[in-house]
Short mmCIF file of all heavy atoms in Angstrom, two decimals:
data_model
loop_
_atom_site.label_atom_id
_atom_site.label_comp_id
_atom_site.label_asym_id
_atom_site.label_seq_id
_atom_site.Cartn_x
_atom_site.Cartn_y
_atom_site.Cartn_z
N ARG X 1 -129.50 70.36 -14.79
CA ARG X 1 -129.80 68.96 -14.53
C ARG X 1 -129.43 68.10 -15.73
O ARG X 1 -129.39 68.57 -16.86
CB ARG X 1 -131.27 68.77 -14.17
CG ARG X 1 -132.24 69.01 -15.32
CD ARG X 1 -133.68 68.89 -14.81
NE ARG X 1 -134.65 69.06 -15.88
CZ ARG X 1 -135.95 69.13 -15.69
NH1 ARG X 1 -136.46 69.04 -14.45
NH2 ARG X 1 -136.77 69.29 -16.73
N GLN X 2 -129.15 66.84 -15.45
CA GLN X 2 -128.81 65.90 -16.49
C GLN X 2 -129.55 64.59 -16.27
O GLN X 2 -129.31 63.90 -15.28
CB GLN X 2 -127.30 65.65 -16.54
CG GLN X 2 -126.85 64.82 -17.72
CD GLN X 2 -125.35 64.87 -17.93
OE1 GLN X 2 -124.61 65.26 -17.04
NE2 GLN X 2 -124.91 64.49 -19.11
N ALA X 3 -130.46 64.28 -17.17
CA ALA X 3 -131.22 63.05 -17.11
C ALA X 3 -130.47 61.95 -17.84
O ALA X 3 -129.61 62.22 -18.69
CB ALA X 3 -132.60 63.26 -17.74
N PRO X 4 -130.78 60.68 -17.54
CA PRO X 4 -130.09 59.58 -18.22
C PRO X 4 -130.22 59.67 -19.73
O PRO X 4 -131.32 59.84 -20.26
CB PRO X 4 -130.83 58.34 -17.69
CG PRO X 4 -131.33 58.76 -16.35
CD PRO X 4 -131.72 60.20 -16.51
N GLY X 5 -129.09 59.57 -20.42
CA GLY X 5 -129.09 59.60 -21.87
C GLY X 5 -129.27 60.97 -22.48
O GLY X 5 -129.40 61.08 -23.70
N LYS X 6 -129.27 62.02 -21.67
CA LYS X 6 -129.47 63.36 -22.18
C LYS X 6 -128.32 64.28 -21.78
O LYS X 6 -127.56 63.98 -20.87
CB LYS X 6 -130.79 63.94 -21.67
CG LYS X 6 -132.02 63.15 -22.07
CD LYS X 6 -133.29 63.82 -21.59
CE LYS X 6 -133.55 65.11 -22.34
NZ LYS X 6 -134.85 65.73 -21.94
N GLU X 7 -128.20 65.39 -22.49
CA GLU X 7 -127.20 66.39 -22.17
C GLU X 7 -127.62 67.20 -20.94
O GLU X 7 -128.81 67.30 -20.62
CB GLU X 7 -126.98 67.32 -23.35
CG GLU X 7 -126.42 66.65 -24.60
CD GLU X 7 -125.01 66.15 -24.38
OE1 GLU X 7 -124.20 66.89 -23.77
OE2 GLU X 7 -124.71 65.03 -24.80
N ARG X 8 -126.63 67.77 -20.27
CA ARG X 8 -126.93 68.64 -19.15
C ARG X 8 -127.65 69.89 -19.65
O ARG X 8 -127.21 70.52 -20.61
CB ARG X 8 -125.64 69.02 -18.42
CG ARG X 8 -125.86 69.74 -17.11
CD ARG X 8 -124.56 69.96 -16.36
NE ARG X 8 -123.89 68.70 -16.07
CZ ARG X 8 -122.78 68.59 -15.35
NH1 ARG X 8 -122.21 69.68 -14.82
NH2 ARG X 8 -122.23 67.41 -15.14
N GLU X 9 -128.75 70.23 -19.00
CA GLU X 9 -129.55 71.35 -19.44
C GLU X 9 -129.77 72.35 -18.31
O GLU X 9 -129.81 71.98 -17.13
CB GLU X 9 -130.90 70.88 -19.97
CG GLU X 9 -131.78 70.22 -18.92
CD GLU X 9 -133.16 69.86 -19.44
OE1 GLU X 9 -133.50 70.23 -20.57
OE2 GLU X 9 -133.91 69.21 -18.68
N ALA X 10 -129.91 73.60 -18.69
CA ALA X 10 -130.17 74.66 -17.71
C ALA X 10 -131.60 74.59 -17.23
O ALA X 10 -132.53 74.39 -18.01
CB ALA X 10 -129.88 76.01 -18.33
N VAL X 11 -131.78 74.77 -15.93
CA VAL X 11 -133.10 74.74 -15.31
C VAL X 11 -133.55 76.13 -14.90
O VAL X 11 -134.68 76.54 -15.17
CB VAL X 11 -133.11 73.81 -14.08
CG1 VAL X 11 -134.44 73.87 -13.36
CG2 VAL X 11 -132.79 72.38 -14.50
N SER X 12 -132.66 76.87 -14.24
CA SER X 12 -133.01 78.19 -13.74
C SER X 12 -131.76 79.00 -13.47
O SER X 12 -130.68 78.45 -13.27
CB SER X 12 -133.85 78.06 -12.46
OG SER X 12 -134.31 79.33 -12.02
N CYS X 13 -131.92 80.32 -13.43
CA CYS X 13 -130.79 81.21 -13.22
C CYS X 13 -131.26 82.55 -12.67
O CYS X 13 -132.36 83.02 -12.99
CB CYS X 13 -130.05 81.42 -14.55
SG CYS X 13 -128.81 82.74 -14.55
N ILE X 14 -130.43 83.15 -11.83
CA ILE X 14 -130.57 84.56 -11.46
C ILE X 14 -129.30 85.27 -11.90
O ILE X 14 -128.21 84.94 -11.43
CB ILE X 14 -130.77 84.76 -9.95
CG1 ILE X 14 -132.04 84.05 -9.46
CG2 ILE X 14 -130.85 86.25 -9.62
CD1 ILE X 14 -132.24 84.13 -7.96
N ARG X 15 -129.43 86.21 -12.81
CA ARG X 15 -128.27 86.93 -13.31
C ARG X 15 -127.91 88.09 -12.39
O ARG X 15 -128.79 88.78 -11.88
CB ARG X 15 -128.55 87.47 -14.72
CG ARG X 15 -128.73 86.38 -15.76
CD ARG X 15 -128.85 86.98 -17.15
NE ARG X 15 -130.08 87.74 -17.32
CZ ARG X 15 -130.13 89.01 -17.71
NH1 ARG X 15 -129.00 89.66 -17.99
NH2 ARG X 15 -131.29 89.63 -17.83
N ARG X 16 -126.61 88.31 -12.21
CA ARG X 16 -126.14 89.40 -11.37
C ARG X 16 -126.65 90.74 -11.86
O ARG X 16 -127.02 91.60 -11.05
CB ARG X 16 -124.60 89.42 -11.35
CG ARG X 16 -124.00 90.39 -10.35
CD ARG X 16 -122.54 90.61 -10.64
NE ARG X 16 -122.35 91.43 -11.84
CZ ARG X 16 -121.17 91.67 -12.41
NH1 ARG X 16 -120.06 91.11 -11.91
NH2 ARG X 16 -121.09 92.43 -13.49
N THR X 17 -126.69 90.91 -13.14
CA THR X 17 -127.05 92.18 -13.73
C THR X 17 -128.55 92.42 -13.78
O THR X 17 -128.99 93.52 -14.15
CB THR X 17 -126.49 92.30 -15.15
OG1 THR X 17 -126.90 91.18 -15.93
CG2 THR X 17 -124.97 92.36 -15.11
N SER X 18 -129.35 91.43 -13.43
CA SER X 18 -130.79 91.56 -13.51
C SER X 18 -131.50 91.31 -12.19
O SER X 18 -132.25 92.16 -11.71
CB SER X 18 -131.35 90.61 -14.57
OG SER X 18 -132.77 90.63 -14.58
N GLY X 19 -131.26 90.15 -11.61
CA GLY X 19 -131.96 89.76 -10.40
C GLY X 19 -133.28 89.06 -10.68
O GLY X 19 -133.81 88.36 -9.81
N SER X 20 -133.81 89.24 -11.88
CA SER X 20 -135.03 88.57 -12.28
C SER X 20 -134.69 87.18 -12.79
O SER X 20 -133.83 87.03 -13.65
CB SER X 20 -135.74 89.38 -13.37
OG SER X 20 -136.96 88.78 -13.75
N PRO X 21 -135.34 86.14 -12.27
CA PRO X 21 -134.94 84.77 -12.62
C PRO X 21 -135.37 84.33 -14.01
O PRO X 21 -136.35 84.81 -14.56
CB PRO X 21 -135.64 83.93 -11.55
CG PRO X 21 -136.85 84.73 -11.19
CD PRO X 21 -136.41 86.17 -11.27
N HIS X 22 -134.61 83.39 -14.55
CA HIS X 22 -134.94 82.71 -15.78
C HIS X 22 -135.29 81.26 -15.46
O HIS X 22 -134.71 80.66 -14.55
CB HIS X 22 -133.76 82.72 -16.76
CG HIS X 22 -133.34 84.08 -17.19
ND1 HIS X 22 -133.79 84.67 -18.34
CD2 HIS X 22 -132.48 84.97 -16.61
CE1 HIS X 22 -133.24 85.87 -18.46
NE2 HIS X 22 -132.45 86.07 -17.43
N TYR X 23 -136.22 80.68 -16.22
CA TYR X 23 -136.61 79.30 -16.04
C TYR X 23 -136.76 78.61 -17.39
O TYR X 23 -137.24 79.21 -18.35
CB TYR X 23 -137.94 79.18 -15.29
CG TYR X 23 -137.89 79.66 -13.87
CD1 TYR X 23 -138.32 80.94 -13.53
CD2 TYR X 23 -137.40 78.83 -12.86
CE1 TYR X 23 -138.26 81.38 -12.22
CE2 TYR X 23 -137.34 79.27 -11.54
CZ TYR X 23 -137.77 80.54 -11.23
OH TYR X 23 -137.72 80.98 -9.92
N ALA X 24 -136.36 77.35 -17.43
CA ALA X 24 -136.67 76.53 -18.59
C ALA X 24 -138.18 76.37 -18.68
O ALA X 24 -138.87 76.31 -17.67
CB ALA X 24 -135.99 75.17 -18.47
N GLU X 25 -138.68 76.28 -19.90
CA GLU X 25 -140.12 76.15 -20.10
C GLU X 25 -140.68 74.92 -19.40
O GLU X 25 -141.82 74.95 -18.93
CB GLU X 25 -140.45 76.10 -21.59
CG GLU X 25 -140.28 77.42 -22.31
CD GLU X 25 -141.22 78.49 -21.79
OE1 GLU X 25 -142.37 78.16 -21.46
OE2 GLU X 25 -140.80 79.67 -21.72
N SER X 26 -139.90 73.87 -19.30
CA SER X 26 -140.37 72.63 -18.72
C SER X 26 -140.62 72.72 -17.21
O SER X 26 -141.33 71.88 -16.66
CB SER X 26 -139.37 71.51 -19.00
OG SER X 26 -138.09 71.83 -18.47
N VAL X 27 -140.04 73.71 -16.55
CA VAL X 27 -140.20 73.84 -15.10
C VAL X 27 -140.90 75.12 -14.68
O VAL X 27 -141.20 75.30 -13.50
CB VAL X 27 -138.84 73.75 -14.37
CG1 VAL X 27 -138.09 72.49 -14.79
CG2 VAL X 27 -137.99 74.99 -14.64
N LYS X 28 -141.17 75.99 -15.61
CA LYS X 28 -141.79 77.28 -15.30
C LYS X 28 -143.13 77.08 -14.59
O LYS X 28 -143.97 76.29 -15.03
CB LYS X 28 -141.97 78.09 -16.57
CG LYS X 28 -142.34 79.55 -16.35
CD LYS X 28 -142.29 80.33 -17.66
CE LYS X 28 -140.89 80.35 -18.25
NZ LYS X 28 -140.82 81.15 -19.51
N GLY X 29 -143.31 77.80 -13.51
CA GLY X 29 -144.52 77.68 -12.73
C GLY X 29 -144.47 76.61 -11.66
O GLY X 29 -145.36 76.55 -10.80
N ARG X 30 -143.44 75.76 -11.69
CA ARG X 30 -143.30 74.68 -10.72
C ARG X 30 -142.06 74.82 -9.84
O ARG X 30 -142.08 74.45 -8.68
CB ARG X 30 -143.26 73.32 -11.42
CG ARG X 30 -144.50 73.02 -12.25
CD ARG X 30 -144.49 71.59 -12.76
NE ARG X 30 -143.36 71.34 -13.67
CZ ARG X 30 -142.39 70.47 -13.44
NH1 ARG X 30 -142.40 69.75 -12.33
NH2 ARG X 30 -141.41 70.31 -14.34
N PHE X 31 -140.97 75.35 -10.41
CA PHE X 31 -139.70 75.48 -9.69
C PHE X 31 -139.44 76.94 -9.36
O PHE X 31 -139.84 77.85 -10.10
CB PHE X 31 -138.54 74.96 -10.54
CG PHE X 31 -138.52 73.47 -10.73
CD1 PHE X 31 -139.58 72.66 -10.38
CD2 PHE X 31 -137.39 72.88 -11.30
CE1 PHE X 31 -139.55 71.29 -10.57
CE2 PHE X 31 -137.34 71.51 -11.49
CZ PHE X 31 -138.42 70.72 -11.13
N THR X 32 -138.73 77.17 -8.25
CA THR X 32 -138.34 78.52 -7.85
C THR X 32 -136.89 78.53 -7.40
O THR X 32 -136.49 77.75 -6.53
CB THR X 32 -139.22 79.03 -6.70
OG1 THR X 32 -140.60 79.01 -7.09
CG2 THR X 32 -138.84 80.47 -6.35
N ILE X 33 -136.10 79.42 -7.98
CA ILE X 33 -134.71 79.57 -7.59
C ILE X 33 -134.59 80.74 -6.60
O ILE X 33 -135.30 81.74 -6.73
CB ILE X 33 -133.80 79.81 -8.82
CG1 ILE X 33 -132.32 79.83 -8.42
CG2 ILE X 33 -134.19 81.10 -9.54
CD1 ILE X 33 -131.38 79.88 -9.62
N SER X 34 -133.72 80.61 -5.63
CA SER X 34 -133.53 81.66 -4.65
C SER X 34 -132.16 81.55 -4.01
O SER X 34 -131.45 80.56 -4.21
CB SER X 34 -134.62 81.62 -3.57
OG SER X 34 -134.54 80.42 -2.82
#
C-alpha cells in the first residue's frame, strides 16, 4: 500500500516456500491474506 506522501510499503505476503503468512506490524491481527 502507498499512503499520500509516503513510500509504498509491504502489508502482507505468503511465500511459496513457506505458506505461512507475513504481516506488517501495523496490520497484524486485523488483516488476513489468502
Side-chain angles (χ1 to χ4, degrees):
R1 68 184 182 187
Q2 187 166 17
K6 300 183 68 176
E7 296 294 317
R8 189 173 301 185
E9 64 175 354
V11 175
S12 185
C13 169
I14 299 176
R15 295 186 293 124
R16 188 195 73 188
T17 54
S18 174
S20 182
H22 298 265
Y23 294 98
E25 288 297 323
S26 59
V27 307
K28 192 172 297 182
R30 300 188 297 118
F31 290 11
T32 303
I33 186 173
S34 64

